[in-house]
């Protein structure tokens, strides 16, 4: 599509918007009728550790939303010379799980508890045992039940709880609903009925009946919607919440809010059985759409969630991925600046990450740990970023950077070994997206070594979730009578440019050697957590 045609579509209100709240960046992406990203706006933010809780304030959430949208409008004005005043459709996605609880007057009862918190271990364990179904620490129901176990006074007043995407969409539309993929990270889903599991709802109510709460769990959860359904319309108040200038018109179709797992599946065309994707950024998770249920629950290791249209999916999730090497690269940039040098951020990243391909297959024996926060996959409630080496190791910059990329996938590999080796899960295609894959040829090669399976990436790999959410909004606006996977195949990915990297035996053996040392060194991490405050 030409620049002039795109400008005309935007001006006539036919653009489709996706906004995703990631852990360190909120990004808005506008797509045209050919489903191509044509403009974007972003806002960088960081969660805060307040009284032992990882959180973002409601003020930070609203400011981030408004700033990313303002920057999108500026990008459109600069590129196309037109103003964004109306949209065909839009949707909100965000990091999954967590706990936003409100009373009957819609007042937030406690600060937002994000997915990053590892404070719900008792609740997670008890619910997993009760349901015979994996209920990770990150899940919203784990947060609620832990609050009950802690005898927190606010619980009796809860009238509604939701995820971050659910909260923002509620502010935009007035509707308390959630896409099924995001809902599957709040409470277990029945794959047949595509609703909350009724047996487990009853089990939970029975579990807490002695508390005498006036509510039942099903009364507190958001309504579930599937991809293609309408989540609501942008109200006048919602339009002002998104765009305080008042320029954006209300009445826009809003798709069901989704989690970043679901938008990652859409952005990589991975919603069919035997397809999978890896979303790698601040956190990392791999999703594999299942042909059959797993043989058992794997506590703290494998989640069961769904695609945005309700297919059961195994999810291996690690809290930490690129966050630590981001800090190292920033440090190297400061070192360059201290010598009077200057280098752009993209060149700095590409140059340093590219060196990883020149390192020894096993990183020369170097072992960094990227645990900025706790890591349930390997049994840590807190993190201590570490770098460990012996005098005999080959300590080079190339090996250091390779080790940083390898360790970013260490916890994830723990979960994937279960799916591949124990459950024999079938997988035809694994597609990567997110910041880990932005440096051409590096992320896919490292991921293929770690996952010992071919890994594909698309030109849109860096767009990731917000583009996936925009696609879900476009699908809600016009499904063309197709299911989601067929719509993606025909309307979006028919001519997609895909590059695939097969695992190199030398790299696979190198990662396996690194991973063996990684597992041994977890004892060092344990000592650091116990000894250093």
């Amino acid at each position: 599509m030409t620049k002039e045609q795109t400008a005309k579509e935007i001006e006539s209100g036919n653009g489709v918007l996706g906004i995703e709240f990631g852990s360190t960046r909120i990004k808005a992406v506008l797509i045209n009728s050919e489903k191509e990203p044509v403009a974007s706006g972003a806002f960088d933010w960081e969660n805060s550790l307040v009284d032992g809780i990882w959180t973002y304030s409601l003020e930070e959430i609203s400011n981030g939303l408004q700033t990313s949208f303002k920057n999108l409008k500026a990008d459109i004005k600069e590129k196309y010379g037109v103003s964004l005043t109306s949209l065909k459709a839009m949707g909100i996605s965000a990091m999954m799980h967590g706990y936003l609880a409100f009373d009957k007057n819609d007042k937030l009862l406690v600060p937002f508890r994000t997915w990053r918190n590892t404070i719900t271990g008792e609740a997670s364990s008890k619910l997993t045992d009760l349901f015979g179904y994996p209920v990770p620490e990150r899940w919203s129901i784990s947060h609620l039940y832990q609050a009950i176990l802690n005898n927190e006074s606010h619980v009796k007043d809860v009238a509604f709880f939701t995820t971050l995407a659910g909260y923002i969409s509620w502010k935009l539309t007035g509707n308390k609903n959630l896409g099924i993929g995001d809902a599957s990270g709040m409470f277990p889903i029945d794959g047949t009925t595509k609703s909350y599991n009724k047996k487990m709802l009853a089990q939970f109510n029975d579990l807490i009946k002695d508390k005498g709460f006036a509510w039942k769990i099903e009364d507190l959860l958001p309504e579930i919607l599937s991809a293609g359904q309408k989540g609501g319309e942008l109200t006048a108040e919602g339009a002002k919440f998104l765009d305080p200038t008042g320029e954006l018109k209300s009445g826009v179709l809003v798709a069901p809010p989704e989690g970043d797992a679901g938008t990652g599946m859409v952005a990589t065309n991975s919603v069919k059985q035997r397809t999978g994707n890896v979303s790698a950024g601040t956190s990392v998770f791999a999703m594999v759409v299942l042909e059959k249920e797993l043989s058992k629950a794997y506590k703290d290791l494998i989640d069961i969630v769904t695609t945005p249209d309700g297919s059961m999916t195994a999810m291996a999730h690690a809290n930490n991925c690129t966050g630590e090497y981001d800090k190292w690269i920033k440090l190297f940039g400061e070192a360059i600046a201290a010598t009077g040098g200057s280098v752009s951020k993209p060149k700095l990243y590409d140059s340093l990450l590219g060196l990883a391909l020149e390192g020894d297959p096993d990183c020369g024996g170097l072992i960094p740990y990227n645990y900025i926060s706790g890591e349930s996959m390997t049994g840590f409630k807190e993190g201590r970023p570490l770098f460990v080496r012996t005098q005999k190791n080959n300590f080079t910059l190339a090996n250091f950077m390779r080790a940083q990329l390898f360790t970013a996938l260490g916890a994830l590999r723990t979960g994937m070994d279960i799916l591949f080796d124990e459950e024999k899960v079938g997988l035809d295609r694994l597609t990567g997206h997110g910041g880990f894959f932005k440096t051409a040829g590096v992320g896919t090669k490292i991921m293929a070594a770690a996952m010992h399976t071919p890994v594909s990436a698309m030109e849109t790999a860096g767009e990731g979730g917000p583009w996936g959410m925009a696609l879900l909004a476009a699908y809600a606006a016009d499904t063309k009578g197709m299911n989601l996977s067929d719509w993606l195949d025909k309307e979006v990915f028919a001519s997609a440019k895909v590059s695939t990297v097969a695992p190199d035996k030398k790299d696979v053996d190198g990662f396996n050697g690194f991973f063996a040392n990684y597992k041994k060194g977890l004892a060092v991490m344990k000592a650091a957590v116990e000894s250093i405050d």
Side-chain angles (χ1 to χ4, degrees):
M1 182 175 291
T2 67
K3 183 176 179 180
E4 291 72 21
Q5 289 171 322
T6 297
K8 187 175 181 180
E9 281 198 351
I10 295 172
E11 198 168 29
S12 61
N14 285 311
V16 175
L17 172 65
I19 301 178
E20 182 158 286
F21 283 67
S23 302
T24 59
R25 171 169 283 199
I26 302 167
K27 188 170 183 180
V29 169
L30 191 78
I31 64 174
N32 60 20
S33 59
E34 294 183 359
K35 318 302 184 294
E36 301 166 326
V38 295
S40 65
F43 176 77
D44 293 335
W45 69 341
E46 285 282 352
N47 52 194
S48 303
L49 188 62
V50 180
D51 297 327
I53 303 292
W54 289 106
T55 189
Y56 303 87
S57 69
L58 296 188
E59 291 74 22
E60 288 175 303
I61 293 168
S62 61
N63 179 50
L65 175 72
Q66 292 166 5
T67 303
S68 62
F69 186 74
K70 180 181 73 173
N71 291 339
L72 169 72
K73 289 172 61 179
D75 190 41
I76 289 169
K77 192 72 172 178
E78 181 180 347
K79 287 179 176 175
Y80 306 104
V82 298
S83 298
L84 179 65
T85 60
S86 60
L87 294 161
K88 181 178 181 179
M90 66 170 293
I92 299 292
S93 59
M95 53 189 120
M96 292 175 66
H97 320 298
Y99 183 68
L100 280 153
F102 300 86
D103 67 12
K104 63 181 180 181
N105 297 314
D106 296 339
K107 177 186 175 184
L108 185 68
L109 292 168
V110 291
F112 173 31
R113 299 172 181 179
T114 78
W115 61 271
R116 196 170 201 172
N117 290 287
T118 51
I119 56 176
T120 63
E122 182 183 5
S124 168
S125 180
K126 288 184 175 181
L127 291 177
T128 297
D129 291 341
L130 176 68
F131 296 155
Y133 189 96
V135 181
E137 294 181 18
R138 300 179 301 279
W139 280 28
S140 306
I141 192 61
S142 293
H143 282 278
L144 176 62
Y145 186 44
Q146 190 66 55
I148 293 171
L149 293 174
N150 294 345
N151 294 311
E152 295 187 36
S153 60
H154 81 272
V155 176
K156 68 180 185 306
D157 298 319
V158 177
F160 172 62
F161 74 121
T162 190
T163 65
L164 179 56
Y167 164 70
I168 300 161
S169 190
W170 171 32
K171 292 286 288 184
L172 296 176
T173 67
N175 295 336
K176 297 176 179 178
N177 54 43
L178 209 57
I180 190 170
D182 206 4
S184 69
M186 289 194 72
F187 194 92
I189 298 294
D190 184 323
T192 302
T193 64
K194 301 191 188 305
S195 59
Y196 299 115
N197 188 295
K198 288 186 177 181
K199 177 184 176 183
M200 296 177 191
L201 290 171
Q203 287 176 312
F204 186 85
N205 286 328
D206 187 60
L207 177 67
I208 63 168
K209 65 181 180 182
D210 63 315
K211 300 294 183 180
F213 298 130
W215 50 260
K216 291 185 180 296
I217 184 60
E218 56 266 33
D219 299 327
L220 307 186
L221 290 160
E223 175 191 3
I224 291 179
L225 299 174
S226 289
Q229 292 185 273
K230 182 179 178 180
E233 290 186 355
L234 186 66
T235 64
E237 295 80 7
K240 199 68 180 290
F241 181 66
L242 176 59
D243 183 15
T245 68
E247 294 175 351
L248 182 64
K249 297 175 183 176
S250 60
V252 177
L253 183 153
V254 180
E258 261 300 347
D260 50 359
T263 57
M265 286 187 266
V266 170
T268 55
N269 196 20
S270 303
V271 299
K272 288 181 179 178
Q273 292 179 351
R274 296 182 63 89
T275 65
N277 78 93
V278 179
S279 175
T282 304
S283 65
V284 58
F285 50 83
M287 317 285 299
V288 180
V289 186
L290 299 172
E291 297 176 280
K292 60 180 181 179
E293 293 185 5
L294 300 183
S295 64
K296 62 180 181 180
Y298 292 91
K299 189 182 295 186
D300 297 329
L301 296 173
I302 302 295
D303 300 11
I304 301 295
V305 293
T306 80
T307 63
D309 57 349
S311 294
M312 303 309 289
T313 303
M315 176 182 183
H317 181 286
N319 289 346
N320 302 282
C321 185
T322 64
E324 179 66 358
Y325 78 58
D326 282 340
K327 293 185 182 300
W328 279 107
I329 291 175
K330 181 181 178 182
L331 184 70
F332 291 140
E334 291 176 359
I336 292 171
T339 66
S342 177
V343 62
S344 69
K345 186 175 179 179
K347 184 176 181 180
L348 180 64
Y349 267 77
D350 288 347
S351 299
L352 289 174
L353 294 177
L355 282 175
L357 302 185
E358 301 176 17
D360 298 329
D362 66 349
C363 311
L366 308 183
I367 317 172
Y369 290 92
N370 65 332
Y371 291 15
I372 294 175
S373 68
E375 193 61 76
S376 300
M377 191 79 77
T378 48
F380 287 87
K381 292 190 177 297
E382 296 179 46
R384 298 290 186 275
L386 294 174
F387 175 62
V388 182
R389 70 182 180 93
T390 68
Q391 295 89 333
K392 66 181 180 182
N393 293 147
N394 187 15
F395 189 20
T396 66
L397 183 57
N399 279 338
F400 182 81
M401 294 310 304
R402 187 177 182 87
Q404 290 293 334
L405 287 168
F406 271 15
T407 202
L409 306 177
L412 176 68
R413 170 65 180 268
T414 303
M416 294 305 289
D417 279 352
I418 291 172
L419 295 180
F420 291 147
D421 299 340
E422 296 186 34
E423 290 289 337
K424 310 299 181 186
V425 168
L427 185 61
D428 296 330
R429 186 180 77 236
L430 185 65
T431 305
H433 74 108
F436 188 87
F437 299 97
K438 278 191 174 181
T439 298
V442 176
T444 48
K445 190 172 180 63
I446 296 295
M447 187 68 74
M451 300 293 104
H452 47 78
T453 193
V455 174
S456 300
M458 301 179 183
E459 285 186 338
T460 51
E463 297 294 346
W467 181 59
M469 189 63 242
L471 293 178
L472 285 172
Y475 180 63
D478 185 7
T479 67
K480 298 187 183 297
M482 292 184 274
N483 63 40
L484 180 60
S485 62
D486 288 344
W487 185 87
L488 289 172
D489 281 342
K490 296 175 182 177
E491 295 293 313
V492 182
F493 294 103
S495 59
K497 294 181 180 178
V498 181
S499 60
T500 300
V501 174
D504 182 279
K505 185 179 185 305
K506 182 177 67 174
D507 290 333
V508 172
D509 291 344
F511 188 92
N512 289 341
F514 168 87
F515 192 52
N517 286 332
Y518 175 95
K519 289 186 286 187
K520 292 176 186 176
L522 289 174
V524 181
M525 173 66 69
K526 184 175 184 292
V529 170
E530 292 173 349
S531 305
I532 302 174
D533 293 327

